[in-house]
Amino acid sequence: MIKVRFAPSPTGYLHVGNVRTALVNWLFARKNGGHFLLRIDDTDTERSKAEYTRAIEEDMQWLGLTWDSEEHQSTRLARYKIASDALAASGRLYAAYETAEELDVQRKMQASRGLPPIYNRAALKLTDEQKADYEKQGRKPHYRFLLLEEEITWPDLIRGAVAMKATTMSDPVLLREDGMPVYTLASVVDDGELAITHVIRGEDHVSNTAVQVQLYKALGFTVPQFAHMALLKTKDGELSKRLGGNDIRAMREAGILPMAVNSLLARMGTSDAVEAFADLQPLINSFDFAKFGRAPANYDVAELEKINEKLLHQLPFAEAKKKLNFIDENFWLSIHANIKKLSDVKEWWDILHGSIEPDLNHDDRTFLRSTIALLPPEPWNDATYDTWLSAIKPTTARKGKELFMPLRLALTGREHGPELKKLLPLLGHQKVMARLK
């Protein structure tokens, strides 16, 4: 059975980059009747926080990306110790004592000589006496994985055949000075022991994959299949700060619908057109790695807002009520065609039910007071506004914007918004009179 994983670190909130990775993994699993694992990579004890773990789980549920099982790396430290001991016993893990400053000097010297900045394996030449001397100095070793000097290849589901030479890479650090495993070791052990069949992630992990292919084999695991997606980009090269930029939590608070996020991220970087989908099933049905391109995927907040607006305009009242329990059906049907975000709904509710402070000059105020006596009697409906205008026009020389805008400002305090013919019945005769005065 196909089994994939999404492996966020609980050191911050989810952003569009890693949500796209989660979504693609989830769609692939659901398309193929597979298993979707949520793996919390929380071995960084200083930066990992329980509140971020909860936020990740909440955001995933909000997006509808339910998981079949969950693992936390912090509970699997004993498994990583067994794996590192096995690598040491086979001669593939060795102690190194260089400090960060010494390694930096080494890289600069290599660069000045036109050499690639890879680790020189000086630690392999250390004698037992030299190691003991380092220990007396208080130095704690970190441990590196000895790469075999061979060409590393794999068939990538998006990039095609990939080949990298191990001689162009440094032996990666697998254990820090405090004995804690780094991502490379923990991830491979988890993938192997939890039977992950496909690893789907961004192309910035390609060099990690080359190292990990050797590590899977050294630990006796089946090497999974890989798919490396092109990364996201924006017009200015960075993720926009609008709507919280890349922060999914901020998008939720700004009133973006989860399916607006899913609809955009699922189709970015593929040959399929981006459309507004009300549920995930069409995205599952159409998923295919053959549709993914190699060019960077364009992320545009304006496009997200357009999708969100379209979904809101199509949202039935029953669904809207679940998200906004304070609204009633007449209100929703009157304003939903003119909103862009869920947060706009609360704004218009407050405009209609609270107080406003319109910016009007003396002439506009005089004009507005003259319209009070022309208000039609209740009950009001969608035709009331036009009836009122028909009574106003013969009494004034005003026309066009000069006529309509003072009415809109007086009644809503906004220059734009839902049609006044829809809002007038919601406000009612008494409130309209008060605002015109």
Side-chain angles (χ1 to χ4, degrees):
M1 180 179 71
I2 284 175
K3 188 175 183 180
V4 298
R5 43 75 164 181
F6 171 53
S9 297
T11 55
Y13 294 118
L14 290 182
H15 56 78
V16 292
N18 49 34
V19 166
R20 178 173 178 245
T21 298
L23 178 60
V24 171
N25 274 276
W26 188 90
L27 292 172
F28 176 67
R30 295 295 178 256
K31 175 71 177 286
N32 294 280
H35 185 105
F36 179 75
L37 164 70
L38 175 61
R39 191 186 77 203
I40 304 297
D41 288 5
D42 55 354
T43 57
D44 186 342
T45 54
E46 290 186 7
R47 297 173 60 223
S48 296
K49 295 182 179 179
E51 65 187 81
Y52 289 133
T53 297
R54 288 192 297 271
I56 289 168
E57 293 169 343
E58 289 170 3
D59 287 345
M60 291 285 286
Q61 289 168 342
W62 177 72
L63 290 164
L65 306 183
T66 53
W67 52 95
D68 301 302
S69 61
E70 183 172 348
E71 293 282 349
H72 292 242
Q73 288 190 329
S74 57
T75 67
R76 293 179 47 79
L77 298 179
R79 303 305 307 166
Y80 310 141
K81 178 67 166 60
I82 292 171
S84 62
D85 287 347
L87 290 171
S90 66
R92 297 295 295 278
L93 194 70
Y94 63 93
Y97 290 83
E98 293 92 347
T99 64
E101 293 76 13
E102 289 169 343
L103 291 171
D104 186 52
V105 169
Q106 180 192 128
R107 284 190 291 268
K108 288 178 179 176
M109 290 180 62
Q110 289 169 320
S112 68
R113 295 164 58 191
L115 299 173
I118 61 175
Y119 180 60
N120 61 14
R121 291 182 167 175
L124 289 174
K125 303 184 180 93
L126 292 176
T127 64
D128 291 340
E129 290 77 13
Q130 288 173 312
K131 293 179 183 178
D133 187 48
Y134 278 135
E135 297 282 353
K136 287 178 183 178
Q137 295 175 27
R139 290 201 189 193
K140 297 289 185 183
H142 54 272
Y143 289 83
R144 291 180 178 270
F145 176 57
L146 183 64
L147 290 171
L148 303 180
E149 296 182 352
E150 62 183 12
E151 186 174 64
I152 304 167
T153 63
W154 71 89
D156 198 282
L157 294 173
I158 295 175
R159 299 171 65 86
V162 180
M164 299 186 71
K165 293 182 178 179
T167 52
T168 64
M169 295 176 280
S170 293
D171 290 343
V173 174
L174 296 190
L175 296 175
R176 303 186 186 95
E177 285 80 358
D178 60 2
M180 288 295 288
V182 302
Y183 165 82
T184 303
L185 175 63
S187 185
V188 166
V189 173
D190 289 342
D191 289 345
E193 293 188 350
L194 301 175
I196 297 300
T197 62
H198 293 74
V199 175
I200 306 163
R201 53 192 178 185
E203 64 181 6
D204 53 330
H205 283 280
V206 168
S207 58
N208 291 337
T209 296
V211 168
Q212 290 173 345
V213 166
Q214 282 207 6
L215 191 51
Y216 286 115
K217 293 177 179 179
L219 289 169
F221 296 133
T222 300
V223 178
Q225 288 189 266
F226 294 96
H228 291 89
M229 300 179 290
L231 302 181
L232 302 187
K233 73 167 187 176
T234 59
K235 292 178 182 178
D236 59 3
E238 296 181 358
L239 291 173
S240 171
K241 295 297 183 285
R242 290 172 63 192
L243 300 178
N246 56 358
D247 188 337
I248 297 299
R249 181 57 55 99
M251 289 183 185
R252 287 177 59 184
E253 293 171 353
I256 298 297
L257 293 171
M259 278 310 303
V261 179
N262 290 330
S263 295
L264 179 61
L265 296 184
R267 292 289 179 85
M268 282 193 319
T270 75
S271 57
D272 282 337
V274 174
E275 301 176 56
F277 292 102
D279 64 75
L280 285 158
Q281 194 59 51
L283 295 173
I284 295 172
N285 297 341
S286 64
F287 183 85
D288 190 340
F289 277 122
K291 297 177 180 179
F292 283 73
R294 293 286 305 277
N298 291 307
Y299 170 68
D300 187 350
V301 174
E303 189 172 15
L304 176 64
E305 290 175 321
K306 289 178 182 176
I307 295 170
N308 194 69
E309 186 175 348
K310 185 175 293 186
L311 288 173
L312 277 173
H313 296 173
Q314 299 169 356
L315 192 66
F317 169 69
E319 292 300 313
K321 183 70 174 177
K322 294 176 184 177
K323 304 174 187 297
L324 306 156
N325 58 14
F326 58 87
I327 64 173
D328 58 62
E329 189 166 12
N330 283 339
F331 170 77
W332 175 252
L333 295 177
S334 298
I335 63 99
H336 82 284
N338 292 86
I339 57 175
K340 295 182 178 181
K341 304 185 296 293
L342 279 177
S343 52
D344 295 342
V345 179
K346 180 62 165 62
E347 179 182 345
W348 279 101
W349 182 267
D350 291 342
I351 287 172
L352 296 180
H353 294 85
S355 60
I356 61 171
E357 296 182 6
D359 183 15
L360 294 160
N361 60 41
H362 175 74
D363 289 344
D364 285 342
R365 291 178 186 278
T366 301
F367 161 69
L368 289 166
R369 283 194 292 271
S370 73
T371 68
I372 296 174
L374 302 173
L375 279 168
E378 291 188 298
W380 285 356
N381 54 36
D382 283 5
T384 300
Y385 180 65
D386 290 334
T387 302
W388 186 32
L389 280 185
S390 297
I392 294 172
K393 286 178 180 178
T395 70
T396 179
R398 290 177 179 241
K399 58 184 178 179
K401 187 176 181 180
E402 188 182 19
L403 170 64
F404 305 135
M405 189 55 69
L407 293 171
R408 174 170 285 281
L409 287 172
L411 298 178
T412 70
R414 300 289 188 274
E415 292 186 356
H416 305 283
E419 296 177 274
L420 285 182
K421 70 177 183 180
K422 299 285 188 181
L423 299 182
L424 216 61
L426 296 178
L427 285 166
H429 192 280
Q430 186 176 352
K431 185 167 288 186
V432 168
M433 283 184 62
R435 293 188 176 187
L436 291 173
K437 290 178 180 178

